[in-house]
C-alpha cells in the first residue's frame, strides 16, 4: 500500500490534471463500458451475443454504448458477409490496454461488494432509527 506522502502526491497530480482526466474517465467509467469490454476482451462477438452475456442491458443502451466505444477507439465494428448481414465487435489494442485496470477493479468489487452492501444496510438502518 502506498504511504500517505505517495497518496497525497497522487491526489495532487489527479486534481491538477482534472481537465484532462475527467473527459477520459467519463468515457470509460459509465454503467456498461467495463462490462462490454470485459465481454469483448477474449474474443470478438456479435451484438446479440454481447446482449445475452450482459443480463439487463437494453438493445438501445448496448447500441449506444457500442457506438461510443467505437468512436472513442476502444472497439471496432466489422460487417460480416453473411446472409442476413451480421456485425461483429472486437476490442482494439487501446481498449485491451484497459484489461489490467478493469481486472483489478472487478477483483476489488468481488472482494469488497459484501462489505459495501453491509455498510449500506447499516447506514440505512441508522438513518431510520435516528
Amino acid at each position: 500500500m502506498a504511504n500517505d506522502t505517495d497518496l497525497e502526491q497522487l491526489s495532487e497530480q489527479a486534481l491538477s490534471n482534472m481537465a484532462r482526466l475527467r473527459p477520459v474517465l467519463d468515457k470509460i467509467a459509465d454503467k456498461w463500458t467495463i462490462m462490454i469490454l470485459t465481454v469483448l476482451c477474449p474474443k470478438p462477438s456479435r451484438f446479440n451475443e454481447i446482449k445475452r452475456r450482459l443480463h439487463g442491458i437494453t438493445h438501445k443502451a448496448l447500441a449506444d454504448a457500442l457506438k461510443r466505444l467505437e468512436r472513442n477507439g476502444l472497439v471496432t465494428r466489422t460487417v460480416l458477409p453473411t446472409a442476413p448481414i451480421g456485425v461483429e465487435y472486437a476490442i482494439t489494442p487501446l481498449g485491451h490496454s484497459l484489461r489490467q485496470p478493469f481486472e483489478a477493479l472487478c477483483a476489488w468489487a468481488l472482494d469488497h461488494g459484501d462489505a459495501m452492501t453491509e455498510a449500506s444496510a447499516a447506514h440505512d438502518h441508522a438513518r431510520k432509527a435516528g
Side-chain angles (χ1 to χ4, degrees):
M1 172 122 181
N3 65 39
D4 289 346
T5 303
D6 293 338
L7 293 175
E8 189 172 330
Q9 288 174 343
L10 287 171
S11 177
E12 286 177 19
Q13 183 180 10
L15 291 173
S16 67
N17 288 295
M18 192 60 68
R20 289 180 49 215
L21 282 173
R22 179 78 190 240
V24 175
L25 293 176
D26 285 347
K27 291 173 183 164
I28 62 170
D30 62 36
K31 184 174 181 177
W32 292 108
T33 294
I34 294 171
M35 299 310 298
I36 292 169
L37 293 178
T38 300
V39 167
L40 292 176
C41 204
K43 65 181 177 70
S45 300
R46 289 177 148 201
F47 185 93
N48 285 331
E49 182 182 352
I50 299 167
K51 189 171 182 305
R52 269 193 303 277
R53 294 190 62 200
L54 296 176
H55 308 285
I57 193 167
T58 65
H59 183 94
K60 181 177 179 354
L62 180 56
D64 290 348
L66 287 168
K67 286 175 191 171
R68 274 193 314 276
L69 291 170
E70 182 181 12
R71 180 174 184 261
N72 292 322
L74 301 173
V75 166
T76 59
R77 179 183 185 272
T78 304
V79 177
L80 304 172
T82 57
I85 291 176
V87 176
E88 186 174 74
Y89 295 89
I91 195 166
T92 65
L94 180 61
H96 205 281
S97 71
L98 288 165
R99 180 179 176 185
Q100 186 176 8
F102 282 179
E103 284 176 352
L105 185 58
C106 289
W108 184 92
L110 291 172
D111 289 345
H112 300 286
D114 291 342
M116 289 183 69
T117 300
E118 291 169 12
S120 295
H123 178 268
D124 294 347
H125 179 73
R127 287 187 59 100
K128 287 179 185 174

